[in-house]
Amino acid sequence: MAAPSRIGGRALAELLPDLRTMPGPVYSALARAITSLVLDGRVVTETRLPSERELAGSLGLSRATVTAAYDQLRTDGFLASRTGSGSFVTVPAGAEPRPSFARWQLRPEDGADVIDLSCGALPAPPELLEATVAAAAPRLAPYLLGDGYEPAGLPVLREAVAARFTARGIATRPDQVLITNGSLHGLDLLLRLLLGPGDRVLTELPSYPGALDAVRSNGGRLVPVPMAAEGGWHVEQLQATLRQTSPRLAYLTPDFHNPTGALMPADQRREVLRTARQTGTTVVVDESFVDLGFGVHERASAELDPGVITLGSLSKPVWGGLRIGWLRASTDLVHRLAALRTSIDMGGAVLDQLVAALLFEQVDAIASARIAQLVPQRDALVAALRAELPEWRFTVPQGGLSLWAELPAPLSTPLCLLAAQAGVVLVPGSRFGVDGTLERFLRLPYALPGERLTEAVRRLAAVWRQLDGSGLAARQLVVA
Ligand SMILES: Cc1ncc(COP(=O)(O)O)c(C=O)c1O
């Protein structure tokens, strides 16, 4: 469950549509509009709504109208009142996200013509990996003489990672680098070390589900801040939430955010980092996608503020099956994390780290080849969506591996269930949110060849028309 924050009357009024243009009585239009904001993740659950009097003042409505709307929200399960502390946005019981909503549960019969769009990751470049593994094997000999345990990572790989940071303008020594089994492993180690029970962790909404799960399973309380409706970050809202909740940590993905693909401009990074410093919040920046920008990039967060902890990985530019990631932090923190790690996995595999060290020598060339492959795939997806589903809205991503589409109705889960039967496996938008919100959104990765993406969109459009024809889409705001 998310940690509480509040929204004022004026801020809520700005998010609402013109109620007079909506059908039915004004109180019911207001209740439906607030429900829609909750389901879309624009007002996050556990947010305290303004008092009836305050909202009535901001909207120029009678207090009785707002009271009736709040009563309606309570009846529908979207508002919970706590004596003495106000009314909080919630979602009806049963709408909790299910981390087990895993892709294998959705797979249609084996052997069917399935297009798997559930994962934002690429297959390995096979020749390159085979050749690199072969080149790494003879380098193993000297390591065989030792015990093979290196909790902070092999020095040769720590040096390669540090050199890459330094080349990007972030002076880094190898002792500031911890080698991990992927960036998610790095995040989990950090959460284990730094989070106390019930500590708040600010995240973007939507955000990478693995990170949200990691915060939950380490006892953290999520403080999700909605991304801006027009794309990118809502910096003032990020700053206001930092000030209101003083979270212990903030987990951000400013470099080709998963799932939206957005890139945060340097001036916005500076603003957010400055406020986080004031509120004593440690900022963890996930750079998993940093090498996959389509001709654009930004100054690194750790260059703007050396206090930032950076997570990185070879999973997205090279291959997830390598399970090689890293964490850049102060030497002291790296020591503490390495010590903690000895109670978990003792360190990464030596041979894999030798392979990774060799891959580092050519990571720019590998990333360029990935980008050359991804741009036409993204374009094919965009073209297919515009042709087949023109009513779906999205911002064309500038990098990363996925596009975040806004559907005309909050039907992501039923759409994904029907799509699975039609041979397209997808993860509903709510998986990228908290408390079952974001049902109006769908992540569409473009990691497959263009013709498969075009076919996937054709199937999706047929399923969408089926849903639309069933009248479900027209009943946008009814949740049972
Ligand atoms: C933002 C983000 N961070 C981390 C990960 C996990 O990556 P890794 O394989 O490096 O653990 C993913 C995987 O999709 C991701 O999207």
Side-chain angles (χ1 to χ4, degrees):
M1 187 168 285
S5 58
R6 63 189 142 75
I7 185 166
R10 283 232 315 271
L12 182 55
E14 273 173 24
L15 294 175
L16 291 168
D18 183 351
L19 299 174
R20 288 164 309 186
T21 63
M22 293 175 68
V26 177
Y27 85 87
S28 134
L30 176 57
R32 281 181 288 138
I34 294 177
T35 305
S36 183
L37 291 173
V38 176
L39 289 174
D40 293 354
R42 297 205 170 129
V43 172
V44 298
T45 53
E46 292 296 300
T47 299
R48 192 173 86 205
L49 289 190
S51 69
E52 290 160 12
R53 185 205 302 262
E54 186 189 344
L55 186 58
S58 305
L59 291 172
L61 296 174
S62 75
R63 190 168 161 188
T65 303
V66 178
T67 304
Y70 278 17
D71 284 348
Q72 183 68 56
L73 287 168
R74 260 180 225 108
T75 308
D76 292 345
F78 284 95
L79 200 63
S81 298
R82 292 173 203 149
T83 323
S85 50
S87 296
F88 293 79
V89 163
T90 176
V91 283
E96 285 283 313
R98 290 180 296 148
S100 60
F101 203 102
R103 53 194 166 131
W104 48 86
Q105 289 178 305
L106 287 171
R107 277 183 203 281
E109 307 285 291
D110 280 349
D113 173 22
V114 176
I115 305 177
D116 188 349
L117 297 185
S118 63
C119 200
L122 290 159
E127 292 89 20
L128 172 78
L129 275 200
E130 277 170 32
T132 313
V133 170
R139 300 181 183 222
L140 193 58
Y143 295 94
L144 299 176
L145 304 173
D147 58 28
Y149 292 121
E150 292 277 6
L154 284 200
V156 61
L157 184 54
R158 297 174 81 192
E159 277 157 27
V161 174
R164 190 161 169 78
F165 271 116
T166 304
R168 288 174 59 207
I170 315 143
T172 305
R173 292 184 314 276
D175 62 13
Q176 286 178 271
V177 174
L178 177 81
I179 304 300
T180 59
N181 301 325
S183 52
L184 186 56
H185 179 220
L187 176 64
D188 184 61
L189 286 172
L190 269 176
L191 294 169
R192 280 172 194 248
L193 186 71
L194 300 181
L195 267 200
D199 274 354
R200 294 183 169 98
V201 180
L202 181 145
T203 64
E204 292 131 344
L205 181 75
S207 184
Y208 166 54
L212 299 176
D213 289 346
V215 172
R216 287 190 191 99
S217 61
N218 279 289
R221 276 197 289 169
L222 290 162
V223 183
V225 180
M227 299 286 282
E230 61 281 10
W233 286 258
H234 205 312
V235 172
E236 279 172 20
Q237 208 171 337
L238 275 171
Q239 291 177 300
T241 310
L242 282 166
R243 291 196 190 101
Q244 280 171 21
T245 64
S246 299
R248 173 77 188 86
L249 294 175
Y251 167 80
L252 301 173
T253 310
D255 304 278
F256 314 113
H257 169 256
N258 181 7
T260 66
L263 175 66
M264 190 191 276
D267 55 334
Q268 295 192 357
R269 290 180 199 228
R270 262 194 219 96
E271 293 284 296
V272 174
L273 294 172
R274 191 166 44 87
T275 309
R277 224 165 229 285
Q278 289 161 0
T279 57
T281 302
T282 300
V283 178
V284 181
V285 164
D286 186 337
E287 286 194 344
S288 287
F289 294 92
V290 74
D291 293 315
L292 296 182
F294 305 153
V296 284
H297 67 275
E298 266 306 343
R299 287 182 64 191
S301 309
E303 186 190 345
L304 300 174
D305 182 340
V308 165
I309 300 175
T310 307
L311 300 170
S313 171
L314 286 182
S315 292
K316 303 302 170 181
V318 189
W319 188 43
L322 283 167
R323 307 311 308 138
I324 292 286
W326 53 87
L327 180 152
R328 178 193 181 275
S330 67
T331 310
D332 170 61
L333 190 59
V334 166
H335 271 295
R336 287 160 64 207
L337 289 164
L340 167 71
R341 186 183 186 172
T342 56
S343 68
I344 302 165
D345 69 352
M346 298 293 281
V350 172
L351 182 57
D352 298 359
Q353 294 182 70
L354 291 173
V355 172
L358 286 178
L359 286 169
F360 251 86
E361 291 169 11
Q362 25 182 345
V363 78
D364 283 330
I366 299 170
S368 299
R370 291 310 210 179
I371 292 164
Q373 171 192 357
L374 284 171
V375 170
Q377 290 178 185
R378 175 204 61 182
D379 293 346
L381 176 63
V382 166
L385 285 171
R386 286 189 177 145
E388 298 273 355
L389 289 158
E391 67 275 34
W392 289 18
R393 295 195 317 181
F394 54 85
T395 304
V396 177
Q398 301 166 281
L401 285 162
S402 64
L403 174 156
W404 184 240
E406 180 175 355
L407 319 179
L411 292 172
S412 196
T413 301
L415 177 68
C416 290
L417 292 167
L418 280 179
Q421 288 164 21
V424 184
V425 184
L426 283 154
V427 180
S430 48
R431 187 69 185 90
F432 298 81
V434 295
D435 299 341
T437 58
L438 301 182
E439 265 296 284
R440 191 185 282 275
F441 296 88
L442 185 65
R443 182 184 73 161
L444 293 161
Y446 38 84
L448 294 180
E451 62 278 10
R452 295 300 279 162
L453 295 170
T454 308
E455 171 60 15
V457 173
R458 201 192 55 72
R459 292 183 195 176
L460 266 182
V463 168
W464 180 255
R465 281 192 289 273
Q466 215 179 314
L467 270 181
D468 219 3
S470 73
L472 258 180
R475 290 170 52 212
Q476 331 188 346
L477 298 167
V478 180
V479 175

